[in-house]
């Protein structure tokens, strides 16, 4: 089984690799949400002694400009203890659709290298090896490799093939894209930790993802074997997230996330983002687009209604309420997201609540 000694070693590794992070708390990171996690959100999380990730997704044409945006901001207001030549923000890629050559070119030409690259959804294990090796070479080893997995078997395969610097263990409660078949982190995380430990990969730090939005989730993740957590849905309700106000309101107003959100391919089909490898779908807030599909509406009619809605995306009604149709990717933790707060404040509150719980043996003081 994974143990406290392993977690202490993992935290020491993370502190060494990313010396600006909080020295006594488990690591808090923001997910590289495609098009949503831009420089403002990533920097806010890193300035709060976490690691913010830029969400490139499948389109890396903007990578150089995003890296430059971060570099420019940091040149005037640097983050203390950032190593020379390093950007204290990471970058995230959806590997099946992103261009590795363009990624390598952008990282090579950047004076400051991103501190980590989050790799997700490759077309094959061999392509994931190419991504890992290519980014390491392009950054002269300065960019650490983080790989997202959602099963025990994939965690072991990736650990052996890619020698990742960290593994993100994503449970089925996560918003946005993930595996069709997976389990929640309550069982997935400790099983991965145990399997990796017994197979000789116990040195790899584990980052928990999926269904975490407050300090209780972070404290639980630590008890299950994680040395850090990733929040995605919670940061949607921050002003730094690049989403329409209707999207943000839909997240804050959603309750009972296990039934108000669901995993489906409907939204990918309506948006035309259909290149995902077999075995992936997305979790989002269920609305009229989904309900009409389930009720048997012809796809062309559903798509026509969706495209009409896209022309009115500034309208709150297209995101919130019974007639809403727009894609609102979010995880089951939406019911715990009750207000909009600055990203840095979210990091501080989650860290503080988790510390109290971990110090008190898990007894909540709410």
């Amino acid at each position: 089984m994974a143990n406290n000694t392993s977690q202490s070693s993992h935290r020491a590794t993370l502190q060494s690799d990313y010396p600006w992070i909080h020295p006594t708390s488990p690591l808090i990171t923001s997910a590289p949400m495609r098009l949503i996690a831009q420089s403002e959100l990533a920097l806010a999380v890193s300035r709060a002694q976490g690691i913010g990730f830029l969400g490139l997704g499948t389109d890396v044409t903007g990578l150089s400009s995003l890296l430059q945006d971060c570099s420019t901001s940091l040149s005037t207001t640097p983050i203390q203890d950032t190593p020379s030549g390093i950007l204290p923000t990471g970058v995230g890629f959806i590997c099946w659709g992103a261009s590795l050559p363009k990624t390598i070119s952008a990282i090579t030409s950047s004076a400051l290298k991103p501190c980590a690259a989050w790799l997700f959804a490759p077309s094959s294990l061999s392509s994931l090896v190419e991504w890992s090796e290519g980014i390491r070479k392009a950054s002269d080893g300065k960019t650490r490799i983080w790989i997202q997995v959602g099963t025990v078997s994939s965690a072991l395969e990736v650990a052996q093939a890619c020698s990742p610097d960290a593994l993100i263990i994503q449970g089925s409660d996560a918003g946005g894209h993930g595996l069709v078949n997976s389990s929640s982190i309550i069982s997935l995380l400790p099983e991965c930790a145990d399997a990796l430990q017994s197979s000789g990969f116990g040195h790899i730090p584990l980052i928990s993802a999926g269904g975490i939005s407050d300090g209780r989730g972070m404290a639980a993740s630590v008890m299950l074997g994680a040395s850090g957590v990733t929040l995605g849905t919670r940061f949607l309700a921050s002003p730094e997230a690049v989403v329409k106000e209707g999207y943000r309101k839909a997240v804050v107003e959603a309750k009972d996330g296990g039934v108000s959100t669901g995993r489906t391919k409907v939204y990918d089909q309506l948006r035309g983002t259909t290149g995902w490898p077999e075995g992936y779908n997305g979790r989002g807030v269920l609305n009229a687009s989904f309900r009409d599909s389930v009720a048997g509406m012809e796809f062309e009619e559903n798509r026509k209604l969706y495209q009409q809605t896209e022309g009115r995306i500034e309208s709150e009604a297209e995101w919130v309420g019974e007639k809403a149709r727009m894609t609102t990717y979010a995880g089951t933790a939406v019911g715990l997201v009750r207000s909009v707060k600055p990203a840095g404040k979210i990091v501080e509150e989650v860290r503080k609540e988790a510390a109290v719980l971990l110090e008190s043996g898990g007894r909540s003081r709410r």
Side-chain angles (χ1 to χ4, degrees):
M1 293 181 66
N3 52 46
N4 290 335
T5 301
S6 296
Q7 284 179 290
S8 297
S9 174
H10 294 165
R11 290 195 198 177
T13 297
L14 293 170
Q15 191 71 53
S16 175
D17 288 346
Y18 319 103
W20 67 88
I21 66 175
H22 196 282
T24 62
S25 168
L27 175 62
I28 298 175
T29 71
S30 58
M33 297 174 284
R34 176 178 172 267
L35 304 178
I36 294 171
Q38 301 296 293
S39 55
E40 189 175 1
L41 176 57
L43 284 169
V45 173
S46 292
R47 291 189 189 283
Q49 297 182 283
I51 300 178
F53 279 83
L54 300 165
L56 274 300
T58 56
D59 183 1
V60 301
T61 55
L63 177 55
S64 291
S65 62
L66 281 173
L67 294 178
Q68 185 57 53
D69 286 347
C70 290
S71 298
T72 299
S73 175
L74 291 163
S75 68
T76 56
T77 51
I79 295 176
Q80 187 176 358
D81 297 325
T82 301
S84 176
I86 295 290
L87 271 180
T89 55
V91 290
F93 304 98
I94 298 174
C95 295
W96 65 260
S99 168
L100 178 57
K102 290 180 179 178
T103 298
I104 289 174
S105 176
I107 292 176
T108 300
S109 61
S110 178
L112 300 180
K113 312 302 182 186
C115 67
W118 177 316
L119 307 181
F120 169 52
S123 57
S124 65
L125 183 61
S126 60
S127 72
L128 192 60
V129 172
E130 293 174 0
W131 272 87
S132 301
E133 293 177 348
I135 290 175
R136 283 185 170 124
K137 184 177 180 179
S139 67
D140 294 324
K142 293 178 179 179
T143 300
R144 307 300 187 189
I145 300 300
W146 291 31
I147 300 178
Q148 177 181 322
V149 297
T151 66
V152 177
S153 60
S154 61
L156 292 171
E157 289 173 352
V158 164
Q160 183 173 23
C162 302
S163 301
D165 299 290
L167 282 171
I168 306 104
I169 310 298
Q170 187 201 52
S172 57
D173 290 317
H177 287 85
L179 296 179
V180 174
N181 296 313
S182 186
S183 56
S184 73
I185 55 172
I186 199 73
S187 57
L188 178 62
L189 179 55
E191 187 176 358
C192 283
D194 291 350
L196 289 162
Q197 183 72 36
S198 63
S199 299
F201 302 111
H203 61 283
I204 302 173
L206 305 182
I207 310 298
S208 177
I212 305 163
S213 69
D214 59 21
R216 293 173 295 181
M218 179 169 168
S221 294
V222 172
M223 298 303 292
L224 294 169
S227 296
V229 298
T230 290
L231 280 65
T233 299
R234 183 65 190 94
F235 285 119
L236 291 172
S238 71
E240 294 90 348
V242 183
V243 295
K244 298 297 182 181
E245 286 305 314
Y247 192 144
R248 212 180 323 268
K249 185 171 183 179
V251 169
V252 173
E253 292 193 358
K255 302 293 184 288
D256 203 358
V259 293
S260 62
T261 72
R263 304 206 70 87
T264 178
K265 293 184 178 181
V266 168
Y267 298 114
D268 275 326
Q269 292 164 352
L270 294 174
R271 300 165 75 218
T273 53
T274 55
W276 287 88
E278 189 66 27
Y280 288 88
N281 63 6
R283 180 181 289 280
V285 177
L286 301 178
N287 58 23
S289 293
F290 174 81
R291 291 191 296 271
D292 285 345
S293 177
V294 172
M297 178 181 282
E298 291 291 333
F299 172 72
E300 290 303 325
E301 176 62 19
N302 202 354
R303 183 167 63 177
K304 178 181 177 182
L305 291 172
Y306 191 88
Q307 290 172 341
Q308 290 173 350
T309 299
E310 287 181 313
R312 303 188 298 268
I313 58 174
E314 299 299 333
S315 170
E316 191 176 282
E318 308 304 341
W319 302 91
V320 183
E322 288 299 310
K323 296 182 179 181
R325 307 197 76 88
M326 291 302 297
T327 301
T328 309
Y329 283 130
T332 62
V334 287
L336 299 173
V337 180
R338 302 185 178 105
S339 63
V340 176
K341 294 181 180 179
K345 182 69 172 176
I346 292 171
V347 173
E348 292 168 4
E349 289 184 352
V350 171
R351 181 183 292 134
K352 182 177 180 180
E353 182 181 25
V356 170
L357 290 170
L358 291 169
E359 290 169 5
S360 65
R363 294 185 297 276
S364 178
R365 297 183 184 179
R366 282 179 173 246

